[in-house]
Amino acid sequence: MPMWNPEAESMPRNALEKLQGERLAKIIEYTYHQMPFYRQKMDEAGVKPEDIRSLDDLNKLPFTTKQDLRNVYPFGNFCIPMEEVVRIHASSGTTGKPTVGGYSKNDLELWTEVMARTVTSCGVTNKDVAHNAYGYGLFTGGLGFHIGFQRVGATVVPVSGGMTRRQIMLMEDFSATILTCTPSYALALAEEAGNIGINFQSRMKIRAGIFGAEPWTEEMRREIENRMGIEAYDIYGLTEIIGPGVSVECEHRNGLHINEDHFLPEIIDPATGEKLPYGTEGELVFTTLTKEAMPVIRYRTRDRTVLHAEECACGRTMVRMEKIRGRTDDMLIVRGVNVFPSLIEKTLLSIEGLEPHYQIVLDRPKDQLDELEVWVEANRHFFEPIDTRRLDQLRDEAEAELAQTLGVRATIKLMGPNSIERSAGKAVRVVDKRALYKDS
Ligand code: ADP
Ligand code: ZN
């Protein structure tokens, strides 16, 4: 499969590292002078821009956290005057203030470039019709894909999220070949097609989907691929860095290539901040090397993964990150046991008869221990007519499996078709009633 920008994407690693070092020195110089809060951090750490000359100097620099950005909300980390800021986006920020993303004209050009690389990596060309069901608006997903598709000359259908039934009609009528949305919404689309008697595989021309913006397991990927008869690619990004376009899988789908000439990745130990070598799991940290409006230096994403630098058969030299394993803050502690939502998803999807729609509900009734409930839909054939004996068996089986993989007891609540709310964007997987305030 072709690359959008082979010169950049397959640059020899020594040349790439040299380029990264030069860009790093420049961006630090720039940020130090343009962003007061980061200058203060550097001053406190006793680091001067002159101390940063190559990649080896990176670990002298202080980290930036989500809280740092919140402290200067909304525009305190912008490095250019508002006259030169041409676009604003923001993260969902369910509870707290959202994180803002600001873009100069050049930043939008950069975003377009990395999104053109991204969609090309998934085989998109000017012959494709791209049904873009990521939300358009403040969320970066919709518009991020939009500019990438336009740049490669594909026909983009800016349908955004919601009105699922209408989407099915449009997807078929317009002969869409590419689908972009969250993995959970992909499932909702496949399901809705089934509800109105449309066999997705035979009626739709979609051959590939580019899914991201929320965690999803390999089991979920298989589920989506089987239901839709497509190839599903994983894409990763975040508002603080640029939105989608930070990394994406290639045709080998053995990790997501990071656009490292612009976004410099590191893995650190989240507890100590110590830099970890390739091949080790830890927290992903990014430094933007070329952004103007809002560079971020050593930004702690809170996302957990592993980086690999070995060459990839596709010819790209850019490091690969494994599928995100979760966030450093999404681990649930249930009666003292660490529980990862991704492990619950993996387990549920391995059980015949359960559907990929679930929610994890945590509660702590007064003076009692934590209660972990998993609400999951069972296949509709158990309900037509309702077969309580087999539903009880299924529940027992699921509870036994979960107890074994999690090491803590979870109560399974089997639900009928469509009882877990479908999301057009990021699915809400965990409802923690124990906490009054949960950070987004
Ligand atoms: P919010 O933090 O409000 O969700 P964003 O829309 O910027 O704001 O989302 C970025 C976050 O979404 C990432 O830090 C990561 O946790 C998650 N994310 C994005 N893409 C993926 C992906 N492919 N796999 C897992 N998680 C992802
Ligand atoms: Zn590759």
Side-chain angles (χ1 to χ4, degrees):
M1 264 205 242
M3 283 178 219
W4 178 254
N5 185 344
E7 206 188 313
E9 293 173 81
S10 58
M11 187 183 295
R13 285 218 58 95
N14 51 4
L16 175 64
E17 283 164 18
K18 185 163 166 281
L19 177 71
Q20 289 173 320
E22 288 163 9
R23 287 183 168 173
L24 177 68
K26 253 198 200 153
I27 201 75
I28 294 303
E29 170 82 32
Y30 173 79
T31 308
Y32 186 83
H33 293 291
Q34 304 294 324
M35 199 192 283
F37 102 81
Y38 199 73
R39 176 167 58 240
Q40 195 188 334
K41 274 191 166 239
M42 281 178 62
D43 287 345
E44 278 164 15
V47 202
K48 291 272 166 262
E50 314 77 89
D51 301 334
I52 310 300
R53 296 180 182 282
S54 76
L55 288 186
D56 301 330
D57 301 318
L58 190 58
N59 60 6
K60 297 179 183 157
L61 290 163
F63 293 111
T64 305
T65 63
K66 193 155 187 127
Q67 190 55 48
D68 289 330
L69 301 184
R70 285 205 170 128
N71 292 344
V72 296
Y73 172 88
F75 305 145
N77 58 334
F78 286 9
C79 291
I80 53 176
M82 281 311 273
E83 290 90 326
E84 289 167 33
V85 175
V86 296
R87 179 88 72 75
I88 298 285
H89 281 281
S91 72
S92 39
T94 345
T95 48
K97 294 273 194 196
T99 312
V100 177
Y103 303 75
S104 69
K105 281 186 185 158
N106 287 335
D107 294 338
L108 284 186
E109 182 50 39
L110 164 66
W111 199 13
T112 311
E113 157 73 19
V114 291
M115 281 311 293
R117 290 185 195 176
T118 296
V119 300
T120 305
S121 174
C122 307
V124 176
T125 69
N126 61 358
K127 297 196 177 63
D128 281 301
V129 175
H131 185 96
N132 186 15
Y134 279 108
Y136 278 66
L138 274 178
F139 175 55
T140 52
L143 283 156
F145 269 95
H146 190 89
I147 52 179
F149 284 135
Q150 281 187 337
R151 178 57 56 90
V152 304
T155 310
V156 55
V157 183
V159 64
S160 196
M163 294 205 281
T164 308
R165 189 161 293 190
R166 184 155 173 272
Q167 297 222 9
I168 302 296
M169 178 187 82
L170 296 176
M171 216 184 284
E172 188 181 18
D173 293 349
F174 297 170
S175 303
T177 51
I178 300 291
L179 170 65
T180 47
C181 58
T182 58
S184 52
Y185 194 54
L187 279 178
L189 283 166
E191 179 185 55
E192 185 63 15
N195 291 345
I196 52 178
I198 288 181
N199 181 317
F200 198 97
Q201 305 219 12
S202 60
R203 290 267 289 273
M204 300 291 176
K205 295 214 166 56
I206 306 278
R207 64 178 159 78
I210 313 174
F211 305 125
E214 65 183 6
W216 55 310
T217 57
E218 282 301 334
E219 286 71 17
M220 186 65 92
R221 187 203 309 260
R222 273 198 292 281
E223 196 78 39
I224 294 173
E225 293 192 328
N226 293 339
R227 280 171 194 235
M228 299 188 126
I230 64 172
E231 283 200 328
Y233 291 84
D234 192 9
I235 174 168
Y236 169 86
L238 60 167
T239 313
E240 295 86 333
I241 306 303
I242 200 152
V246 174
S247 65
V248 70
E249 288 176 321
C250 66
E251 72 262 33
H252 299 287
R253 293 187 289 163
N254 53 359
L256 294 79
H257 288 284
I258 296 174
N259 282 304
E260 259 190 291
D261 48 340
H262 297 289
F263 315 119
L264 182 65
E266 298 174 81
I267 292 287
I268 62 159
D269 177 334
T272 62
E274 182 202 350
K275 191 172 166 137
L276 299 175
Y278 290 134
T280 320
E281 182 183 320
E283 180 180 351
L284 187 57
V285 169
F286 281 109
T287 299
T288 63
L289 295 175
T290 49
K291 266 178 26 167
E292 293 178 341
M294 204 189 93
V296 286
I297 312 298
R298 301 195 89 196
Y299 182 70
R300 295 187 57 160
T301 64
R302 308 190 288 186
D303 294 320
R304 289 185 299 114
T305 186
V306 182
L307 295 182
H308 296 282
E310 300 86 46
E311 225 167 87
C312 180
C314 73
R316 286 179 185 79
T317 48
M318 309 263 145
V319 295
R320 282 167 289 143
M321 53 182 256
E322 285 183 19
K323 221 170 188 333
I324 294 287
R325 296 183 178 182
R327 281 160 89 131
T328 52
D329 52 0
D330 73 0
M331 185 184 76
L332 304 165
I333 304 180
V334 183
R335 301 194 286 275
V337 178
N338 299 347
V339 173
F340 290 99
S342 56
L343 192 55
I344 296 183
E345 175 174 302
K346 196 174 144 82
T347 309
L348 294 178
L349 295 193
S350 70
I351 299 170
E352 182 77 33
L354 295 183
E355 293 294 305
H357 304 287
Y358 68 94
Q359 208 159 43
I360 300 161
V361 182
L362 279 149
D363 205 355
R364 185 185 292 145
K366 201 170 176 320
D367 302 325
Q368 286 180 43
L369 293 174
D370 294 337
E371 282 176 0
L372 171 63
E373 282 189 0
V374 178
W375 301 10
V376 55
E377 290 180 18
N379 191 278
R380 64 173 62 244
H381 71 251
F382 291 101
F383 297 91
E384 296 168 346
I386 189 153
D387 186 339
T388 43
R389 195 181 58 84
R390 287 187 57 218
L391 279 168
D392 287 346
Q393 276 173 2
L394 181 60
R395 188 201 54 224
D396 292 348
E397 184 197 342
E399 284 185 349
E401 277 293 318
L402 270 184
Q404 204 184 353
T405 49
L406 302 182
V408 62
R409 222 190 98 75
T411 308
I412 293 275
K413 230 169 108 179
L414 290 181
M415 319 277 284
N418 228 1
S419 20
I420 306 265
E421 199 186 334
R422 305 292 186 258
S423 157
K426 297 180 190 239
V428 180
R429 297 294 193 200
V430 179
V431 180
D432 195 343
K433 298 183 186 163
R434 301 174 305 179
L436 289 175
Y437 177 87
K438 185 140 190 320
D439 198 85
S440 72

